[in-house]
């Protein structure tokens, strides 16, 4: 009787061991591959990813040389996923995801930037973000393909960690080109209810374009989202110098931009370069009808005419 009991118990344990091995060796890696495919599809909006190679272990899976589009313009060098089989099976949690050298190309229409910002602000934090305890992105590059400024390259790194009330994020973006340069540091919190808040600091910014030149740009930005019906964005910038195609230049410029679900406002003011006693102010409100106002402070009309004629020595 005892022999039959031990035989039955051993048989059950053997079946459980085979089932567990099958789950760990096949089901969970396949689940990770499907999860990765779906997450990349959501993030990029692209289908048909191709992996050159994958390495599978008991607690991790790695994908190498990932093409995000059929032409290979957007690629990821490697994705490493580390997980506890029990935690993944019971709760769907992933311990750590590391993404190495994502190189993404995005077409940007400058005239659609405002609407793009509205879409971002009205979008809750994605579900996939909450399944990962730690997300690390290293050596990232975004290629912005614009109509007016050509191809702009932005390098970036990010770390997202689990905290008591959701997820915290640290993101560093850097650009170092003639057309665009600067460093932007972002700190964010994604709460458990999928609302999110991001603060940013811009340093050493510069724009060099035929239509506009800006130098010594510094400032702060705030983005806050509580869904489609409640969001907010604000930026305050200090610009050391600016030049427009006519050759007129400005200095000591202060600018601010505010946006919420009801509309947006833009304010800017500065001095005429070489004529510091001449000051300009601009304001725009998206109210219907939209309102644009401009002001000029000058000690005399003759001084303003000298500036208009680019005559500093007259």
């Amino acid at each position: 009787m005892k022999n039959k009991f031990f035989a039955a118990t051993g048989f059950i344990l053997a079946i459980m061991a085979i089932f567990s091995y099958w789950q760990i060796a096949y089901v969970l890696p396949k689940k990770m591959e499907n999860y990765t495919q779906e997450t990349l599809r959501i993030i990029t909006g692209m289908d048909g990813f191709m992996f050159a190679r994958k390495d599978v272990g008991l607690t991790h899976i790695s994908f190498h040389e990932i093409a995000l589009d059929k032409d290979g313009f957007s690629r990821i060098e490697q994705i490493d996923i580390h997980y506890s089989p029990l935690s993944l099976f019971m709760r769907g949690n992933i311990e750590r995801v590391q993404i190495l050298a994502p190189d993404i190309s995005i077409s940007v229409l400058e005239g659609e930037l405002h609407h793009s910002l509205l879409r971002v602000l009205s979008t809750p934090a994605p579900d996939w973000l909450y399944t990962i305890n730690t997300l690390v992105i290293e050596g990232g590059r975004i290629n912005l393909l614009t109509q007016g400024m050509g191809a702009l390259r932005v390098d970036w790194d990010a770390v997202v960690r689990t905290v008591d009330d959701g997820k915290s994020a640290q993101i560093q973006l850097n650009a170092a080109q003639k057309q665009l340069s600067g460093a932007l540091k972002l700190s964010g919190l994604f709460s458990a209810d999928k609302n999110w808040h991001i603060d940013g600091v811009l340093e050493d910014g510069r724009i060099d374009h035929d239509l506009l030149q800006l130098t010594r740009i510094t400032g702060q930005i705030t983005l806050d989202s509580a869904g489609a019906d409640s969001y907010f964005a604000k930026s305050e910038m200090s610009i050391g110098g600016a030049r427009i195609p006519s050759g007129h230049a400005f200095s000591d410029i202060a600018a601010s931009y505010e946006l919420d679900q009801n509309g947006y406002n833009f304010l800017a003011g500065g001095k005429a370069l070489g004529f510091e006693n001449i000051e300009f102010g601009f304001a725009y409100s998206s109210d219907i009808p939209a309102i644009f106002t401009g002001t000029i402070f000058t000690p005399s009309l003759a001084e303003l005419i000298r500036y208009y004629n680019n005559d500093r020595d007259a």
Side-chain angles (χ1 to χ4, degrees):
M1 190 68 179
K2 289 183 178 181
N3 291 336
K4 292 183 179 180
F5 172 78
F6 287 127
T9 302
F11 178 76
I12 293 172
L13 292 175
I15 293 297
M16 292 177 63
I18 294 172
F19 176 78
S20 299
Y21 177 82
W22 178 69
Q23 287 285 330
I24 294 172
Y26 178 79
V27 175
L28 294 184
K30 189 63 179 178
K31 183 177 181 179
M32 282 296 91
E33 182 172 347
N34 294 338
Y35 168 85
T36 303
Q37 292 266 12
E38 180 63 15
T39 300
L40 291 176
R41 186 191 66 77
I42 293 172
I43 294 173
T44 64
M46 304 174 185
D47 290 310
F49 309 112
M50 295 171 285
F51 306 103
R53 189 179 90 252
K54 68 178 178 181
D55 300 323
V56 179
L58 293 180
T59 60
H60 77 277
I61 183 171
S62 296
F63 302 96
H64 302 265
E65 300 178 25
I66 304 129
L68 300 179
D69 57 68
K70 63 180 181 180
D71 298 315
F73 293 129
S74 295
R75 305 182 64 84
I76 298 175
E77 181 178 300
Q78 185 171 324
I79 298 177
D80 296 322
I81 303 174
H82 297 265
Y83 55 88
S84 162
L86 181 61
S87 179
L88 179 63
F89 183 76
M90 299 296 292
R91 298 191 298 272
N93 286 350
I94 300 169
E95 294 296 328
R96 178 184 173 91
V97 175
Q98 185 175 28
I99 302 176
L100 302 178
D103 193 333
I104 312 298
S105 295
I106 302 174
S107 296
V108 177
L109 298 176
E110 290 92 324
E112 296 294 323
L113 289 178
H114 173 72
H115 296 291
S116 297
L117 177 59
L118 289 179
R119 286 194 296 269
V120 171
L121 288 171
S122 60
T123 302
D127 292 331
W128 62 263
L129 187 64
Y130 295 90
T131 65
I132 304 170
N133 290 340
T134 301
L135 171 65
V136 178
I137 300 172
E138 296 179 343
R141 174 174 293 177
I142 301 174
N143 303 295
L144 302 174
L145 310 178
T146 71
Q147 292 181 328
M149 298 183 68
L152 303 176
R153 186 180 68 248
V154 178
D155 298 323
W156 66 296
D157 300 279
V159 178
V160 181
R161 294 186 174 91
T162 301
V163 295
D164 291 340
D165 49 356
K167 302 286 182 179
S168 70
Q170 300 293 324
I171 304 170
Q172 175 76 44
L173 299 99
N174 295 282
Q177 291 177 277
K178 181 179 183 296
Q179 308 101 303
L180 176 69
S181 65
L184 179 61
K185 298 178 181 179
L186 301 174
S187 299
L189 178 65
F190 300 86
S191 60
D193 58 6
K194 299 183 184 179
N195 294 336
W196 53 270
H197 179 92
I198 293 177
D199 292 310
V201 177
L202 175 65
E203 298 176 345
D204 301 323
R206 180 175 59 83
I207 295 175
D208 189 346
H209 186 263
D210 293 340
L211 297 179
L212 180 64
Q213 294 177 324
L214 303 176
T215 61
R216 304 189 306 280
I217 309 171
T218 60
Q220 297 81 38
I221 67 171
T222 297
L223 304 174
D224 190 273
S225 173
D229 298 325
S230 180
Y231 52 81
F232 177 77
K234 181 178 181 180
S235 66
E236 295 181 348
M237 299 293 168
S238 174
I239 303 170
R243 186 177 297 275
I244 57 178
S246 65
H248 294 90
F250 309 87
S251 65
D252 301 327
I253 302 166
S256 67
Y257 173 84
E258 292 188 5
L259 174 148
D260 60 22
Q261 62 272 15
N262 298 313
Y264 65 96
N265 301 288
F266 174 77
L267 299 171
K271 298 179 179 180
L273 183 64
F275 298 82
E276 279 72 17
N277 51 358
I278 299 178
E279 297 182 357
F280 295 88
F282 304 93
Y284 178 81
S285 174
S286 66
D287 295 336
I288 300 179
I291 300 172
F292 175 83
T293 59
T295 57
I296 301 175
F297 297 92
T298 178
S300 67
L301 181 60
E303 189 82 351
L304 182 61
I305 293 175
R306 284 179 57 208
Y307 171 70
Y308 178 78
N309 292 326
N310 289 316
D311 184 7
R312 300 185 186 181
D313 300 323

